[in-house]
Amino acid sequence: MRSFEYAAPKAPQQALGLLGRNWGESEILAGGTDLLALMKDDVVRPRRLVNVKAVEGADLHALMRRQNGLQIGALVSIARVAESADIRQRYPMLANAAVEAASPQIRNMATMGGNICQRPRCWYFRNGFGLLAVDKKTGKSLVLEGDNRYHAILGNEGPAYFVSPSSIVPSLVAYGAKITLASAKGTREVPLEKFFVTPREENQREHDLRPDEMLTFISLPAPPAGARVAHYEVRQKAAVDGPLATCAALLEMSGGTVKTARIVMGHVAPIPWISQEAAQAIAGKPVNEETAEAAGAAAVAQAKSLGRNGYKIKLARVAVKRAILAAAQGGQA
Amino acid sequence: MPSYAWPPEDQRAYIGKRISRVDGPFKVSGRAKYTYDYNPKGLLYGAVLRSPYAKARIVSIDTSEAEKMPGVKSVHIVQDKGTIIQWAGDDVVALAAVTEDQAEDALRAIKVEWEPLPHFVDDEKQPPAGSGKTSGAMSQDDFVGAISNQMPQGQLIRQLTTDGVSFKVDDEFIKQAKSFSVPQPIIDALQKAPYHPESGDAPRSPYKEVRSETKGDPDSAFKSAEVTSEGVYGATVITHCCMESHGVAAEWPDPDHLVVHISTQSVSSMPGQIAGGLKGQGVNIDAANIRVEQQNVGGGVGSKFQADRWGIYVPMLSRKAGGAPVKVMLERDAELAVAGARPSHFARVKAAASRDGQITAWESEGWGTGGPGGGAAPPLPYVFDVPNQRNRYVSVATNTGPSRAWRAPQHPQAAVITMGALEDLAARLNMNPVELIRKNIGLVTEARRQIYLDELDIADKMMAWSSRWHPRGQGGNGSMMQGLGLSLHTWGGRGHASNCDLSIHPDGSVDIKMGTQDLGTGTRTTILIVAADTLGIPMEQITLNIGDSSYPTSGGSGGSTTIGGVSSSTRRAAVDARDALFAKVAPGLDTSPEKLVARGGRIFVEGDASKSLTWKQACAKLGAMPITVQGKNPGPENLTNSGVGGVQMADVSVDTETGIVKVNKMVAVQDCGLVIDLKTAESQVLGALIMGVSYALYEEKIHDPTTGIVLNDNMEFYRLAGLGDIPEMQVHMMTGKGYDERGVIGLAEPPTVSPGAAISNAVANAIGVRVPFIPLTPDRVLAALEGQKGAQA
């Protein structure tokens, strides 16, 4: 690891003041479960680390009811989200996604803010070839030319082909989460799905995050009454394994039929993928094997193989189908 | 003449019982020290600059700036300018500094100018028909590459002899080769190699035919065959993935003595290997003045027999730093990229049988890679010697980290190919594979026919195979399909050469010194069991010292040879020492030594309570001097043997929508002659099953076609089975009459051979179609299902 300057400020304003104006000047250290690995692999080389774990301001470390919704401090650990009785009761899909994430050790250390801001797991990016993995010699994409078995099947027109890495974010998006971003100049609130962007150039990040900003809060609206939810991960191993495709499904029911649906897919595109096609396919229909299958098919209608990842199209379709079926069969919100 | 024979069952106090590892508490509490834990005062941290290219010529290396960096104490060029690097991650420059960060900073100050060369990493594609028949003469670069890539000596000599060289082998070149410690037989072959100047610069094919054999009349047999089956089978390259990575710490207490801590499977051979390597670097030291020490090793799996590049450059770094201790442990990415690989083997197989299931013919067209050297052919067909057969194998030279022996070298791949082909043949015959095997047991070597038949019966009961087996594709309705599969395997496992010193002290204590190592398999425990059983005292009364090259030499732990070697040398030493003690105490008991027995902490005449001494009283008769004897293997009376058989069965569920395989249950029935410790033996088999589930479903070393680097050089994308992926496992060891009297036979390799084949067969049984290659990842399973749908349409 390269040398860096280390700061552990107590005051929130001081923390924000220590952030740089350009990427590379500083990085925020919270759980460190992703950042430290990136630094050891020399993929990210900040000149300064701003450790925010000791920043005062109880809200950053707390789960708080706000009206009928929930505010999650960015420094709340994934383990706390998984264990929270309130979240289990009111946002069970989020609790389940948190329970299935990574390993117990990582869930204890990793924060919710960090989970949202984690970098892609693309093996070209992690091996130092950059976010867009362009071969410097030929100018061609290493992903297209090389081994793309784990890469994007949707939103993969390029030049970014990595997949959105969080298995928790799709559930947050399905619940309609917003996040607060703070800088020394003030704060702004953005819908979580708008926070993720597909970079067009190597020096862009995959987040709508400025170098001098810090994610401070995640706000969830009250879960829609009577909504049914479920999250499904296609994972090769039983645990401690990055999923190949995921889906978070939130169904608002009207009697026996789906009134509206939020279908959010993970690990299939550079951003968490909201499938309007799947939502439309299931809207107005009762949920059964056939309609869920049709929604799955609609979700991947536009999907495209990059060469070696065609199987992921099937997996994504199955994830959508199974999430919808699971939601209808018991996932009471 | 004493009898060394193993005691009969009714006289064994410890042998064959279930005894826990003596070092278990040490290991689980973190007190056991590994090479990684060796951190003396003043330790310098080593760091290594590795090749970013899979194939490239080093044009120049400039270390001047790095040498001036703060904290840097020594720099050593591992591979100098002019060298052609043959795999990404290969060691180029090593240096040592006061802190890890200083070492890493200094690495970044080294300037290497590279000339990247075209690389080749694709081993899965079948070589074009007819390729590999001939190969051009070796260029100078090829030869240097073969040496630095550790091409097996026999293979290199064959290549030199048959293909010749394209460069002039002059005295200067021979002198240079000698200075690089090129072994004399290779020098001889080089000097005699035919000279073919014209083929020098022609682009070389990566393919080379290394086996082409025909037995019987396969053509006629296939022509007249009633039923034939064809398929493609194979196993990709996987790594060893040792929990403790490879690594070395070295220091020179004075310029003539070297002390090395190295994570190794072969303590006794290390001084010689290191002395040889240092000689190539211009440092002359006698092996006798090198002391190698290692108390514990965190896994080897076959990848830790050599001193390796780091076993030489770490002592060089220390020497250049005035003898200060220097340590290099491979980081996980390097461990996966350069320090372990099991070769891939693939084959297109045709097998034929009569309608009643008698196998008549076999043909295999195989290929695979063991790295830049190509590699050797696997033993095909495996276990079954089909009367009419043709086998051809083309090795594929790739720019990937060279293969190393991986637990039961070549056998797991050979089992996947052979047992897969036979299972497919059984399906064509509409026959239960157990029945097919029984019908063809005559094709198995005679010594193991009955063993396999007995084991099949037991495995059948453990798995309830007969009542649960269903024909292909009848594994259920809906998306979850269930299936059963089986495989047979074999291995040698005779004990290696082993020496030990055993002393009985006048105070009753006993110590044993042996230059062996315990890879975590229970070697310590088994040595103590044998000694305690022979001396009739508790295991705790014996002090065992291993893991030090200053102790009597004992073989490397590979090929399942350790248990036979160490148990035999220990038995002989303990018998001799015990008999020497009997001779001392017999007169005082008014008896003759041969009437004495040692049991339960006493030495006595059987059936005569008046003629008895406690162990302590007996040892006190020694006076001042202890008894010290040497035990050896081989030696009088054969205590170890070779040749085992095993049967394994797997029960799997396959999600046909996702291609995800879950192993529900595995049963393993295994013989290994006389079992010394039933508990560690069963553990050995359980460990093999766990490893087997992992390589059957998950493990695969993935090289990027464009850059040639290992893409999954981490534990995230190099998947290993986790707790939730481990099935119910049942192990049955064949013991008692017919097994015990064969003597002690090694167990490490055999049970690791069959899991891949058994699981692959179970998946075929479940989904009704063969998934050609392991690991059985979702993409491969779905592709096979898709192909099946396509074929039906």
Side-chain angles (χ1 to χ4, degrees):
Chain A
M1 199 186 286
R2 292 175 194 248
S3 310
F4 54 85
E5 189 185 307
Y6 177 79
K10 287 234 162 69
Q13 279 309 311
Q14 198 188 352
L16 295 173
L18 284 162
L19 299 179
R21 246 172 270 151
N22 300 298
W23 289 118
E25 286 177 25
S26 64
E27 288 282 347
I28 294 169
L29 174 72
T33 55
D34 189 26
L35 179 62
L36 294 186
L38 287 163
M39 290 172 67
K40 283 181 183 173
D41 288 342
D42 208 28
V43 174
V44 172
R45 306 163 184 171
R47 284 195 290 278
R48 177 189 295 162
L49 273 197
V50 182
N51 183 347
V52 295
K53 273 177 291 191
V55 166
E56 287 158 355
D59 292 4
L60 281 174
H61 303 268
L63 296 167
M64 299 177 86
R65 273 203 187 226
R66 285 274 188 264
Q67 287 135 11
N68 292 321
L70 177 72
Q71 179 180 290
I72 303 171
L75 296 173
V76 169
S77 72
I78 295 174
R80 271 188 66 201
V81 169
E83 288 155 12
S84 157
D86 185 38
I87 294 178
R88 281 180 181 212
Q89 199 205 337
R90 294 199 296 145
Y91 305 95
M93 176 163 64
L94 172 59
N96 287 339
V99 166
E100 293 206 39
S103 66
Q105 294 90 335
I106 289 177
R107 291 196 294 271
N108 286 337
M109 287 300 291
T111 63
M112 286 298 287
N115 184 273
I116 292 170
C117 295
Q118 67 179 301
R119 308 302 308 276
R121 312 301 307 177
C122 165
W123 50 24
Y124 291 101
F125 173 61
R126 297 272 164 172
N127 271 299
F129 294 102
L131 194 54
L132 302 182
V134 173
D135 188 344
K136 284 198 185 78
K137 261 196 329 230
T138 62
K140 290 182 180 167
S141 162
L142 288 169
V143 178
L144 295 184
E145 299 289 306
D147 197 321
N148 45 46
R149 70 184 74 184
Y150 298 127
H151 285 82
I153 51 164
L154 285 161
N156 59 358
E157 296 77 25
Y161 302 102
F162 59 82
V163 295
S164 169
S166 170
S167 55
I168 296 175
V169 161
S171 292
L172 290 170
V173 171
Y175 281 122
K178 289 182 175 152
I179 54 171
T180 305
L181 301 164
S183 72
K185 289 170 226 151
T187 63
R188 62 186 175 116
E189 192 177 56
V190 295
L192 182 55
E193 65 259 36
K194 300 274 186 223
F195 179 66
F196 297 95
V197 290
T198 304
R200 310 294 311 169
E201 285 168 41
E202 187 58 46
N203 61 5
Q204 287 177 337
R205 280 223 177 175
E206 67 280 14
H207 304 129
D208 173 20
L209 180 73
R210 292 194 286 266
D212 63 350
E213 280 181 325
M214 173 180 163
L215 195 162
T216 49
F217 301 107
I218 303 147
S219 306
L220 293 174
R228 291 171 175 272
V229 293
H231 144 99
Y232 191 87
E233 291 185 17
V234 180
R235 214 169 43 214
Q236 205 190 346
K237 286 169 54 177
V240 200
D241 191 19
L244 299 165
T246 73
C247 179
L250 185 149
L251 311 177
E252 289 186 61
M253 307 298 290
S254 167
T257 61
V258 176
K259 196 167 75 191
T260 60
R262 292 267 282 174
I263 306 295
V264 188
M265 300 155 78
H267 288 80
V268 295
I271 56 174
W273 193 261
I274 301 174
S275 178
Q276 305 294 359
E277 296 88 344
Q280 277 160 22
I282 198 74
K285 301 209 173 65
V287 175
N288 55 42
E289 186 75 28
E290 199 182 316
T291 57
E293 172 73 44
V300 299
Q302 303 299 316
K304 184 182 81 190
S305 169
L306 298 176
R308 289 202 63 152
N309 63 349
Y311 74 104
K312 281 190 64 173
I313 299 174
K314 287 183 199 148
L315 301 186
R317 192 174 72 197
V318 174
V320 171
K321 179 179 88 170
R322 291 185 180 178
I324 290 173
L325 285 172
Q329 279 158 17
Q332 190 75 44
Chain B
M1 173 78 184
S3 171
Y4 298 107
W6 296 110
E9 195 169 354
D10 60 355
Q11 286 174 34
R12 297 177 203 152
Y14 300 107
I15 292 173
K17 306 284 191 294
R18 277 197 172 79
I19 293 168
S20 296
R21 278 179 172 72
V22 293
D23 46 4
F26 244 86
K27 289 189 168 172
V28 297
S29 63
R31 282 173 291 166
K33 296 299 174 208
Y34 295 76
T35 301
Y36 183 86
D37 298 313
Y38 184 69
N39 296 309
K41 200 161 178 275
L43 178 72
L44 301 176
Y45 291 89
V48 185
L49 182 72
R50 300 183 174 281
S51 170
Y53 298 105
K55 187 168 183 181
R57 190 191 308 272
I58 302 173
V59 178
S60 67
I61 299 178
D62 179 0
T63 61
S64 55
E65 207 174 303
E67 281 163 40
K68 285 180 258 167
M69 299 274 288
V72 174
K73 297 294 180 189
S74 61
V75 177
H76 181 74
I77 292 176
V78 183
Q79 303 195 71
D80 213 340
K81 63 182 177 202
T83 312
I84 293 181
I85 296 293
Q86 296 284 356
W87 64 86
D90 198 7
D91 317 51
V92 178
V93 182
L95 54 78
V98 176
T99 71
E100 264 184 286
D101 294 338
Q102 287 172 332
E104 276 192 45
D105 286 343
L107 280 190
R108 285 190 277 267
I110 297 171
K111 294 186 193 78
V112 180
E113 193 186 334
W114 295 96
E115 180 195 343
L117 299 168
H119 62 256
F120 183 76
V121 296
D122 184 5
D123 62 324
E124 281 192 39
K125 202 167 70 220
Q126 185 173 8
S131 61
K133 287 278 188 214
T134 54
S135 164
M138 284 192 112
S139 71
Q140 191 166 325
D141 283 346
D142 292 336
F143 179 77
V144 173
I147 294 295
S148 53
N149 301 333
Q150 301 144 28
M151 183 190 278
Q153 182 165 319
Q155 193 187 336
L156 178 53
I157 290 173
R158 266 198 310 280
Q159 203 168 330
L160 286 169
T161 312
T162 53
D163 303 338
V165 291
S166 65
F167 62 103
K168 273 267 184 244
V169 179
D170 53 16
D171 291 349
E172 181 55 32
F173 191 77
I174 294 294
K175 214 176 100 190
Q176 250 189 345
K178 281 184 174 163
S179 80
F180 278 96
S181 306
V182 173
Q184 193 57 41
I186 295 178
I187 303 264
D188 294 343
L190 187 60
Q191 284 174 312
K192 282 187 228 143
Y195 176 51
H196 301 300
E198 72 282 0
S199 52
D201 290 324
R204 303 181 58 78
S205 161
Y207 304 118
K208 186 168 176 63
E209 186 179 86
V210 295
R211 185 187 181 197
S212 181
E213 284 168 13
T214 302
K215 198 178 113 178
D217 186 353
D219 294 327
S220 302
F222 276 116
K223 213 174 220 172
S224 60
E226 291 174 340
V227 178
T228 58
S229 165
E230 281 187 68
V232 183
Y233 313 87
T236 63
V237 174
I238 66 170
T239 86
H240 293 66
C241 218
C242 302
M243 197 189 292
E244 180 192 35
S245 64
H246 287 65
V248 188
E251 60 200 295
W252 299 78
D254 63 66
D256 299 321
H257 291 87
L258 173 64
V259 180
V260 177
H261 298 255
I262 179 165
S263 187
T264 181
Q265 295 177 241
S266 185
V267 168
S268 292
S269 78
M270 273 305 129
Q273 288 193 44
I274 294 169
L278 288 172
K279 201 171 172 201
Q281 302 291 324
V283 174
N284 286 309
I285 177 171
D286 292 341
N289 289 333
I290 299 177
R291 185 173 171 195
V292 169
E293 219 253 334
Q294 171 200 253
Q295 282 309 303
N296 296 285
V297 53
V301 205
S303 67
K304 291 181 178 170
F305 292 111
Q306 304 301 318
D308 280 312
R309 299 206 202 285
W310 39 92
I312 310 304
Y313 65 64
V314 174
M316 288 305 293
L317 286 172
S318 167
R319 194 172 178 86
K320 290 179 181 178
V326 175
K327 186 167 78 173
V328 167
M329 296 301 297
L330 266 62
E331 296 190 29
R332 185 53 61 184
D333 53 359
E335 179 72 14
L336 286 169
V338 310
R342 181 174 84 178
S344 59
H345 290 304
F346 311 100
R348 190 169 288 281
V349 175
K350 198 158 88 172
S354 61
R355 216 162 271 125
D356 66 354
Q358 198 61 49
I359 302 170
T360 54
W362 164 282
E363 185 177 66
S364 75
E365 287 276 334
W367 73 97
T369 190
L380 292 178
Y382 188 58
V383 176
F384 294 90
D385 190 12
V386 181
N388 303 295
Q389 52 174 288
R390 178 181 293 116
N391 294 284
R392 188 170 171 264
Y393 189 87
V394 174
S395 82
V396 184
T398 53
N399 297 107
T400 61
S403 67
R404 293 167 181 237
W406 193 101
R407 205 171 172 182
Q410 322 285 24
H411 284 229
Q413 304 96 311
V416 164
I417 293 167
T418 305
M419 302 301 158
L422 296 187
E423 152 84 20
D424 283 356
L425 184 62
R428 299 276 299 178
L429 288 159
N430 292 318
M431 190 179 269
N432 186 322
V434 171
E435 199 190 329
L436 181 74
I437 287 166
R438 287 186 182 285
K439 275 219 162 108
N440 290 281
I441 202 71
L443 302 182
V444 169
T445 189
E446 202 176 343
R448 273 186 291 285
R449 284 176 199 162
Q450 198 53 48
I451 293 177
Y452 284 130
L453 290 174
D454 291 349
E455 290 177 339
L456 272 171
D457 277 342
I458 295 168
D460 191 329
K461 287 196 186 76
M462 289 162 75
M463 188 56 103
W465 177 285
S466 291
S467 57
R468 296 182 58 224
W469 184 84
H470 58 73
R472 266 200 188 179
Q474 298 179 19
N477 302 312
S479 64
M480 290 302 279
M481 306 287 270
Q482 179 275 335
L484 295 179
L486 71 88
S487 170
L488 275 61
H489 56 258
T490 185
W491 189 256
R494 186 182 298 282
H496 56 29
S498 174
N499 299 283
C500 66
D501 285 342
L502 187 151
S503 298
I504 299 176
H505 297 272
D507 68 353
S509 63
V510 173
D511 75 74
I512 301 171
K513 292 189 178 72
M514 192 191 300
T516 188
Q517 50 281 319
D518 189 337
L519 269 62
T521 50
T523 302
R524 276 192 179 88
T525 312
T526 55
I527 292 170
L528 288 169
I529 286 172
V530 169
D533 211 310
T534 308
L535 299 173
I537 57 174
M539 290 162 66
E540 300 76 46
Q541 211 165 319
I542 305 169
T543 301
L544 172 63
N545 296 292
I546 63 168
D548 192 320
S549 63
S550 65
Y551 299 150
T553 59
S554 197
S557 289
S560 305
T561 58
T562 305
I563 185 68
V566 303
S567 64
S568 298
S569 63
T570 304
R571 173 71 178 170
R572 292 194 181 97
V575 166
D576 285 347
R578 180 197 66 194
D579 290 356
L581 183 62
F582 285 172
K584 278 273 188 193
V585 302
L589 288 171
D590 196 20
T591 186
S592 56
E594 63 275 8
K595 293 221 172 83
L596 290 170
V597 291
R599 203 181 300 148
R602 300 188 77 82
I603 290 175
F604 57 97
V605 173
E606 190 102 61
D608 184 351
S610 70
K611 292 180 176 176
S612 172
L613 292 170
T614 66
W615 175 263
K616 270 202 139 142
Q617 288 166 339
C619 293
K621 309 269 182 209
L622 292 174
M625 284 300 285
I627 295 169
T628 295
V629 300
Q630 203 180 59
K632 275 181 176 310
N633 187 60
E637 294 177 70
N638 209 357
L639 303 180
T640 169
N641 211 326
S642 179
V644 300
V647 170
Q648 293 185 6
M649 292 176 174
D651 173 345
V652 305
S653 295
V654 185
D655 183 335
T656 54
E657 286 190 323
T658 61
I660 290 171
V661 178
K662 168 90 179 108
V663 183
N664 304 314
K665 180 175 174 175
M666 290 208 67
V667 303
V669 186
Q670 185 66 50
D671 98 274
C672 66
L674 175 67
V675 173
I676 298 293
D677 181 351
L678 193 52
K679 188 171 189 176
T680 53
E682 287 168 348
S683 290
Q684 182 81 274
V685 180
L686 291 169
L689 295 179
I690 291 169
M691 217 164 180
V693 168
S694 202
Y695 79 66
L697 300 186
Y698 309 114
E699 293 185 61
E700 182 174 13
K701 191 177 183 186
I702 301 169
H703 291 90
D704 181 36
T706 316
T707 62
I709 66 161
V710 180
L711 285 171
N712 59 341
D713 55 352
N714 54 50
M715 302 315 297
E716 177 180 8
F717 288 112
Y718 189 88
R719 289 182 168 84
L720 289 181
L723 282 176
D725 308 308
I726 305 305
E728 177 195 347
M729 298 181 289
Q730 287 181 10
V731 176
H732 178 89
M733 298 302 299
M734 304 296 281
T735 56
K737 206 171 164 329
Y739 293 94
D740 288 7
E741 57 266 36
R742 297 168 67 206
V744 177
I745 314 178
L747 177 63
E749 334 287 302
T752 204
V753 175
S754 273
I759 292 168
S760 173
N761 283 342
V763 168
N765 179 248
I767 64 176
V769 63
R770 171 68 49 184
V771 181
F773 300 159
I774 61 167
L776 302 158
T777 48
D779 51 342
R780 292 195 177 93
V781 174
L782 289 175
L785 285 164
E786 192 80 346
Q788 179 190 36
K789 254 194 284 176
Q792 282 165 358

